[in-house]
Amino acid sequence: MSNEFSSSDAGPAVDESVPHSARIWNYWQGGKDYYPVDKEAGDQYIATFPGIVDIARNMRFFLRRSVRYLAGEAGISQFLDIGTGLPTNDNTHQVAQSANPAARIVYVDNDPTVLAHARALLTSTPEGATAYIDTNMSDTAVVLEEAAKTLDLSKPIAVTINGVLGHTNDYGVATGIVHRIMDQLVSGSYLAFSDSTTEDEAFNRAQQGYDDTGAVPYKLWTPEELAGFFDGLELVEPGLVPIPKWRPEPGDDPKDQPTLAGVGRKP
């Protein structure tokens, strides 16, 4: 079993005075790792766009379904989880190793709040391994160099990116991150990706209100922009679809939200 940090073990400083996306997301998902300022910002967002709670939870359901598919039916044993977020139920390593105990998982985030909780991500089966890289996802050379300490880059890898690329606030930067990483992976690798669209005006207003709080802003994408993240990849059925419609399981929320999800395979 291997459980590793690629960063200092010193505890990071966490600012409790400004709303924080990872903690708000944790609040929306029913977690406990947030402060009053995060609950206040989250409740203000809900007041304008109540559907955000469904989106947050459906994104977690999609992570679970896509990783289960990749570790099972697709036969992938290596995962690179970019923009990890706070640990919660059904983390990537738990889902992957339940299907394949030998699965190896590397988490990537550079958020002090996430780093403070990252030890919870570093459990593993005896046969598998987990690691955490504390770096900016835009530093793709560092991401791949550090990931190679745990993953075998000569074999297929599944990359998971869910609801984080809007923090780049720039489409070219966001697609560049995805394409640079996928370009370095071998044929048979996968991208599992989900993010939200600009198609709901209440959602747009709520996001602008959140951005105005002084928190790190987040950019929503058009459906056409989201499709561009899969350029050069072969979409797995049912394609890029509203997030509840990607291979739903019993008990998942069936209501459509302005969020798309898909899994693409590198030919």
Side-chain angles (χ1 to χ4, degrees), residues 25 29 52-66 83 90 161-165 193-197 203 218 243-244 253 257-261:
W25 207 250
Q29 289 183 333
I52 190 61
V53 174
D54 294 330
I55 288 173
R57 296 181 182 185
N58 268 299
M59 209 167 276
R60 176 57 53 168
F61 298 156
F62 169 70
L63 174 69
R64 180 188 64 200
R65 297 195 304 267
S66 60
D90 293 333
I161 307 178
N162 292 291
V164 296
L165 286 174
F193 174 82
S194 64
D195 219 323
S196 296
T197 76
F203 195 1
Y218 198 87
I243 196 166
D253 186 347
Q257 292 99 34
T259 301
L260 301 180

Side-chain angles (χ1 to χ4, degrees), residues 1-6 9 87 91 93 97 105-107 115 117-125 129-133:
M1 177 176 67
S2 173
N3 302 319
E4 300 176 351
F5 269 111
S6 63
D9 287 341
N91 298 298
H93 70 283
Q97 291 181 345
I105 296 88
V106 172
Y107 293 101
L115 181 59
H117 293 81
R119 287 293 182 195
L121 297 170
L122 294 177
T123 58
S124 177
T125 59
T130 60
Y132 183 93
I133 303 172

Side-chain angles (χ1 to χ4, degrees), residues 27-28 38-48:
Y27 168 56
W28 287 334
D38 305 307
K39 183 179 185 302
E40 180 180 356
D43 287 342
Q44 289 175 355
Y45 205 118
I46 292 168
T48 303

Side-chain angles (χ1 to χ4, degrees), residues 45-244:
Y45 205 118
I46 292 168
T48 303
F49 180 60
I52 190 61
V53 174
D54 294 330
I55 288 173
R57 296 181 182 185
N58 268 299
M59 209 167 276
R60 176 57 53 168
F61 298 156
F62 169 70
L63 174 69
R64 180 188 64 200
R65 297 195 304 267
S66 60
V67 171
R68 186 175 292 144
Y69 161 77
L70 290 163
E73 185 176 338
I76 298 295
S77 61
Q78 303 188 107
F79 292 81
L80 182 61
D81 185 326
I82 296 177
T84 301
L86 286 167
T88 182
N89 295 324
D90 293 333
N91 298 298
T92 299
H93 70 283
Q94 294 167 322
V95 179
Q97 291 181 345
S98 68
N100 177 2
R104 304 174 75 84
I105 296 88
V106 172
Y107 293 101
V108 181
D109 215 308
N110 74 327
D111 188 308
T113 302
V114 177
L115 181 59
H117 293 81
R119 287 293 182 195
L121 297 170
L122 294 177
T123 58
S124 177
T125 59
E127 305 94 325
T130 60
Y132 183 93
I133 303 172
D134 177 25
T135 194
N136 193 303
M137 61 184 171
S138 64
D139 295 331
T140 55
V142 173
V143 169
L144 291 169
E145 180 183 358
E146 293 295 324
K149 297 176 181 178
T150 302
L151 308 180
D152 182 349
L153 300 191
S154 70
K155 297 179 180 179
I157 292 170
V159 179
T160 66
I161 307 178
N162 292 291
V164 296
L165 286 174
H167 284 308
T168 65
N169 216 32
D170 183 281
Y171 185 62
V173 172
T175 54
I177 291 169
V178 174
H179 296 156
R180 287 196 304 275
I181 289 174
M182 297 306 298
D183 285 349
Q184 296 301 309
L185 302 183
V186 301
S187 174
S189 294
Y190 286 84
L191 170 68
F193 174 82
S194 64
D195 219 323
S196 296
T197 76
T198 57
E199 294 186 299
D200 188 299
E201 285 306 314
F203 195 1
N204 293 332
R205 290 195 303 273
Q207 186 58 51
Q208 186 59 56
Y210 172 81
D211 294 347
D212 291 343
T213 66
V216 177
Y218 198 87
K219 180 176 176 58
L220 305 179
W221 314 106
T222 67
E224 293 76 18
E225 286 173 327
L226 288 179
F229 288 102
F230 290 95
D231 285 351
L233 305 178
E234 300 169 344
L235 281 167
V236 173
E237 289 295 331
L240 183 61
V241 295
I243 196 166

